[in-house]
Amino acid sequence: MRVLPLMVCSLLCLVESKTYLFPIPQTVEWTGYGSILADQFTVEGQNNLYLHSAVDRYLRLIKMEKWKPVQVPADNTWEVILSGNMLLGLKLEVMNATVKLDMGIDESYGIYIPKEGGYGTIRAATWVGALRGLETFSQLIEKNNNNLVVHSAHIEDAPTYVHRGILLDTSRQFYPVNSILKTLDAQAYNKMNVFHWHITDSQSWPLYLESHPELALLGAYSPLEIYHPEDVKRVIHYAEERGIRVILELDMPAHTASIGESHPAFITCRDQFWANYAAEPPAGQLNPIRSDVFDLVKDIVAEGTEIFPDSLYHTGGDEINDKCWETDPDILAYLNTHNMTTKELWFQWTNRLLQFVINECHKRPILWEDPVRDGGCYPKETIVQTWTTPASHYTSLGYDVIISNYDYFYLDCGHGGWVGNDDRYVSPTQSETPDDQFNYGGSGGSWCAPFKTWQRIYSYDMTYNTTSPGKVLGGEVAMWSEQTGPTVLDGRLWPRSAAAAELYWSGSYDNQGQRRTLESVSERFYDWGYRLQTRGILSEPTQPKWCALNPGQCDLNPPNFI
């Protein structure tokens, strides 16, 4: 074991004894000691190709970032005792290195970094757990003078929720593959394990399918804005290397106007101005009574579920507009003949699609809450993704739930309006009046509002009033792209998504049953934003840097230590 000179030890003995970890592990025991990372530091036990590439990736990252915290701790008792020995290596002990990445995979891990230096250990049930351990290990290392110091700790950690995701809408704006890969990097840093790819919508159809190439060739914005099979494979592989599952969503029967570019007869109300017939422009929904339309749907879904290996498939299903279908005389005649309402027709079509996904594609379906909320009944293996209604409404009915409450987790909100020729922005008196509130308070003229602050996101209680027999699987933040694109993606997602990531991984309550608070997370959160920037993620500033350098001085009320 290599021993440090006493002079070096004396120079480094004021290194902080703990580091800012994000998301916070379930249990951390700091020893108060640290060791210098050896120049020839090695990692043993890489018994999986993904682990091998992850080790290389993290060793490069550690040497590149040479992290020195920006946030000054309010607690000034963090002084560390530097071991006289270096940390020479890390041993990976993985029980299952071949298990398939899928929902429910064991991501637990333990880290032991001895205070006397030598060799640390990461123990994990699966290779994915080892990936999570490597991320935490990277956060135990800080720069001091010209050395990297590894902080001694014993950590036991596992996610609270199995589903921890980001939804990205690539229809309203096209995102180059490299933008998606960068988002996957940031997700891995934050231990998020799902990339929900809302790949198509009414505005464009950028997904190339071998069974129906015309959908993308005619429905994409341009030939340069298409995800070809090699692009999709690249995203899936890149994500899997980082322990991230890619879940495909092909939203239907609404949000399908782009199919009308290649199959105009299959879409109802596509010739109508949007305002009365759709949630946003353009209008258009799949015709629910034509057998040739459903044959197309089966082709699309069958190929999509074959390309994407995850056991879950998102069927969409939100924001049906009754008036759109009622413009079609054949649909009106069908409703009259079968004594049905448009909602009942919607429920019937949805059940038919769910049965196809379950029985023919052998996937477990996810469904936006709308057809359940509005009265439909579906197979209980269906997962309901909520955005307007408390999760308890669906868990009490026996459904498992993914939470994407739009009042907390819609990150696109608060950036103004985008529909044209809107004179509501003219304020006659240039001040708020009872007749002019559009530009003030509330929505402030935004398409959706308000802006979801990281504090609001972190304050969400994932367990609030949830009941059995269904359970909360986790949550997703949503990045809809009416007003977001690749030029601003990093700042819109980060660091706010990190606040959600800690809820999803660590839980709203600690292992003592105490609610996690803004006060307890703030220093870690602020420093994490700076660290993401060092890692190449253009994380948005959340306060003046002066505040990080002067702890407590930017609080709303005087801190206790003054």
Side-chain angles (χ1 to χ4, degrees), residues 455-470:
Q455 296 95 331
R456 180 172 180 81
I457 293 166
Y458 197 80
S459 70
Y460 190 85
D461 186 349
M462 294 287 290
T463 68
Y464 181 73
N465 202 30
T466 54
T467 55
S468 296

Side-chain angles (χ1 to χ4, degrees), residues 362-437:
H362 308 292
K363 301 281 186 175
R364 186 177 182 188
I366 308 173
L367 181 69
W368 287 109
E369 68 171 282
D370 305 39
V372 189
R373 180 195 62 205
D374 291 359
C377 184
Y378 307 98
K380 286 300 186 284
E381 58 260 54
T382 304
I383 298 168
V384 176
Q385 185 160 9
T386 68
W387 64 285
T388 64
T389 308
S392 58
H393 179 74
Y394 304 107
T395 57
S396 65
L397 295 175
Y399 295 102
D400 291 343
V401 170
I402 297 166
I403 296 173
S404 293
N405 187 306
Y406 80 117
D407 280 329
Y408 289 82
F409 299 120
Y410 273 30
L411 302 187
D412 58 303
C413 295
H415 290 281
W418 59 271
V419 293
N421 194 25
D422 187 350
D423 60 7
R424 293 175 297 172
Y425 290 98
V426 178
S427 179
T429 64
Q430 299 187 147
S431 60
E432 184 176 7
T433 67
D435 295 327
D436 180 20
Q437 297 183 8

Side-chain angles (χ1 to χ4, degrees), residues 250-254 256 286-290 293-294 297-298 301 315-317 320 325 340 342-355 367 378:
L250 299 174
D251 198 357
M252 52 183 66
T256 50
L286 287 172
N287 188 312
I289 65 171
R290 289 182 55 158
V293 173
F294 201 77
V297 168
K298 289 194 292 184
V301 173
T315 61
I320 285 292
W325 278 343
M340 296 175 70
T342 50
K343 278 191 169 49
E344 289 170 334
L345 178 59
W346 174 26
F347 302 158
Q348 180 189 73
W349 191 94
T350 300
N351 260 313
R352 190 178 178 192
L353 175 59
L354 294 175
Q355 293 295 342
L367 181 69
Y378 307 98

Side-chain angles (χ1 to χ4, degrees), residues 367-557:
L367 181 69
W368 287 109
E369 68 171 282
D370 305 39
V372 189
R373 180 195 62 205
D374 291 359
C377 184
Y378 307 98
K380 286 300 186 284
E381 58 260 54
T382 304
I383 298 168
V384 176
Q385 185 160 9
T386 68
W387 64 285
T388 64
T389 308
S392 58
H393 179 74
Y394 304 107
T395 57
S396 65
L397 295 175
Y399 295 102
D400 291 343
V401 170
I402 297 166
I403 296 173
S404 293
N405 187 306
Y406 80 117
D407 280 329
Y408 289 82
F409 299 120
Y410 273 30
L411 302 187
D412 58 303
C413 295
H415 290 281
W418 59 271
V419 293
N421 194 25
D422 187 350
D423 60 7
R424 293 175 297 172
Y425 290 98
V426 178
S427 179
T429 64
Q430 299 187 147
S431 60
E432 184 176 7
T433 67
D435 295 327
D436 180 20
Q437 297 183 8
F438 177 76
N439 295 292
Y440 304 92
S443 71
S446 289
W447 174 256
C448 67
F451 179 88
K452 308 306 187 290
T453 65
W454 78 264
Q455 296 95 331
R456 180 172 180 81
I457 293 166
Y458 197 80
S459 70
Y460 190 85
D461 186 349
M462 294 287 290
T463 68
Y464 181 73
N465 202 30
T466 54
T467 55
S468 296
K471 60 180 178 292
V472 174
L473 300 177
E476 291 179 5
V477 294
M479 183 53 70
W480 303 105
S481 293
E482 286 90 346
Q483 297 171 284
T484 302
T487 57
V488 297
L489 180 60
D490 276 13
R492 295 280 172 88
L493 283 175
W494 310 102
R496 291 184 295 158
S497 293
E502 179 150 302
L503 286 184
Y504 303 157
W505 179 276
S506 311
S508 301
Y509 296 80
D510 65 21
N511 57 11
Q512 302 298 315
Q514 298 299 308
R515 181 74 184 272
R516 301 190 190 278
T517 66
L518 295 175
E519 180 182 11
S520 65
V521 73
S522 60
E523 288 188 353
R524 289 187 299 105
F525 180 83
Y526 292 137
D527 198 69
W528 184 235
Y530 289 111
R531 193 162 192 170
L532 287 174
Q533 292 171 5
T534 300
R535 294 182 173 194
I537 307 302
L538 301 178
S539 180
E540 186 178 64
T542 52
Q543 62 173 192
K545 189 174 181 179
W546 185 91
C547 300
L549 302 177
N550 295 271
Q553 298 304 311
C554 293
D555 289 356
L556 180 63
N557 298 302

Side-chain angles (χ1 to χ4, degrees), residues 19 21 35-43 53-69 87-90 92 111 113 122 130-151 189 528 531 534-536:
T19 65
L21 300 179
S35 300
I36 289 179
L37 189 76
D39 290 340
Q40 302 303 316
F41 179 85
T42 61
V43 180
S53 60
V55 166
D56 290 344
R57 191 166 63 246
Y58 274 105
L59 289 178
R60 290 195 303 270
L61 176 65
I62 290 165
K63 293 174 182 177
M64 177 277 296
E65 70 175 347
K66 295 182 174 64
W67 181 245
K68 186 175 179 63
L87 190 73
L88 302 176
L90 186 65
L92 303 181
I111 298 179
I113 307 299
I122 293 179
L131 292 181
R132 309 301 178 227
L134 285 169
E135 172 57 42
T136 300
F137 176 75
S138 75
Q139 297 179 27
L140 293 174
I141 302 171
E142 293 179 354
K143 181 184 178 183
N144 186 268
N145 294 330
N146 293 320
N147 297 290
L148 294 175
V149 175
V150 187
H151 295 256
Y189 299 149
W528 184 235
R531 193 162 192 170
T534 300
R535 294 182 173 194

Side-chain angles (χ1 to χ4, degrees), residues 3-15 34-37 80-86 144-149:
V3 179
L4 294 173
L6 290 176
M7 180 179 68
V8 175
C9 182
S10 64
L11 288 174
L12 295 176
C13 63
L14 295 182
V15 179
S35 300
I36 289 179
L37 189 76
V80 73
I81 301 171
L82 193 68
S83 167
N85 304 309
M86 290 187 173
N144 186 268
N145 294 330
N146 293 320
N147 297 290
L148 294 175
V149 175

